[in-house]
Amino acid sequence: MTKNKNNTSVWNTRIIKSSSLFQKIGSSISFDKRLFKEDIQASIAHVEMLFKKKIITFKVKNKIIFGLNRIRNEIVKKKYKFDSKDEDIHMSIEKRLFEIIGEDAGYVHTARSRNDQVITDLKLWMIKSTNEIIKLLNVSSKLIIKISEKNIYTIMPGFTHLKNAQAVSFSHYMLAYVEMFSRDKIRFKNNLKNLKENPLGVAALTGTSFDIDRNYTTKKLGFINPTRNSIDTVSDRDFVTDFLYSASLCSMHISRLSEEFIIWNSDAYNLIFLNDKIVTGSSIMPQKKNPDPLEYLRGKTGGIYGNLFSMLTILKGLPLSYFKDLQDDKKIVFEAFDNLKNCILVMNEVLSNFSVNKKQMTNLTKQGFITATDLADYFVKQLRYPFRKAYILTAKVINFCEKNKKNLQDLSLKEMQKFEPNIKADVLKVFDLNVSIKSKKSFGGTSFENIKKMIKSYKRDLK
Ligand code: ARG
């Protein structure tokens, strides 16, 4: 067996002088070192299986496990030297294992390849990281629910095209984001279902001639079944793109919330205040309090979409099995994960550090005739008008208001009756925003009643 002496590649016997430039640039250790725990976990499961199947001896198995545990300790305690001459975390750990236990280290790579090793590590990391994102999103939802509970009766104009449309409860508005983050969580949870297959044991691409037990490592590593086709297994990075797509959507939701808050916080709208914790100052304008964290959140989405497109592009022209192109999958997915995690953390800080300018919300409801649809509905209900006729009549009333610089609620019954003599005094309550909101009782609508029910149901789901 070839000894793996310091600073020599395992393939040194065959390749005498490969480019030291590429050795450095092509190395992935700077980013894949963060897989060290998963790599050691998978190697331990692998050698336990090799021993169980009598492929290696008890003594060799114990020696390898001893060495691997020591390496883990060294890395955790930052006493480990990551060398860019080592191509990746797998070669680095193998080399160190040789240094610690000698030639028996060479048994660890029996019946496996880095091709199955690297995806096993990455899948294990992905399961852990996906769960982490789900937990953080649960915190976001809880924070939004807390805000919503306090603002059930806070009325604002809902917008379409950013123009005042109809009255809504601020609580209902915010709960829309709980729905979005719930869908994100479902997507991430679905990804977990697809991460249930264990790649370990397919080796380079064909499987192996050793009598291994893939069900054993499957169980040991917490997977559900072994993957079923060795070639697909080493070629597949669907699970990486699934994560990146889910991260992209989640980040897009965060970006929309951020944009919304930026608009609401602008001096023109002034609907929310941001605490000092979530604003930054200007270098020249002493008065400024800028919503930088929100802009950071909006901006990061671009990077995460970029990660998704990088991965999709790397994959599109690759024939099956392993190619070096795939090495970047980790860099891409780590970057997306780090950014998404930071974004959720920052968003959660924002959600805990803003307040609502209820007065300004009320002021804004006075513009844009936001009860016009309620008036049209009144004509349908009380006068049995077809909706289209009611719509036209209402439009005439609005034209009159606009011309005479009046709000709908300023009209007298007499003025109204000029448009339609059958209008009764009860029409006036249509312009009361509380009445308007209460009336939106259809399932999923903004009525206070519905909101209270929804808050209860979200709370149940989040328990
Ligand atoms: N560092 C490599 C990667 O991340 C590990 C797999 C290497 N396999 C190979 N056949 N060169 O993709």
Side-chain angles (χ1 to χ4, degrees), residues 28 32 87-88 90 114-115 118 237 322-324 326-327 329-330:
S28 57
D32 67 15
E87 193 189 338
D88 53 31
H90 325 293
R114 274 183 305 158
N115 294 356
V118 70
R237 294 295 183 280
Y322 181 82
F323 292 89
K324 183 77 167 177
L326 292 170
Q327 177 166 282
D329 59 354
K330 287 165 291 297

Side-chain angles (χ1 to χ4, degrees), residues 68-101:
L68 290 171
N69 282 329
R70 194 160 131 192
I71 293 171
R72 187 199 290 116
N73 240 332
E74 288 176 355
I75 302 179
V76 170
K77 293 197 170 134
K78 302 198 176 356
K79 286 183 180 145
Y80 188 93
K81 187 172 173 293
F82 291 104
D83 188 344
S84 70
K85 288 198 194 102
D86 295 326
E87 193 189 338
D88 53 31
I89 186 66
H90 325 293
M91 299 314 276
S92 168
I93 290 178
E94 189 178 320
K95 190 178 92 184
R96 182 74 188 120
L97 194 61
F98 268 91
E99 286 169 2
I100 298 172
I101 68 166

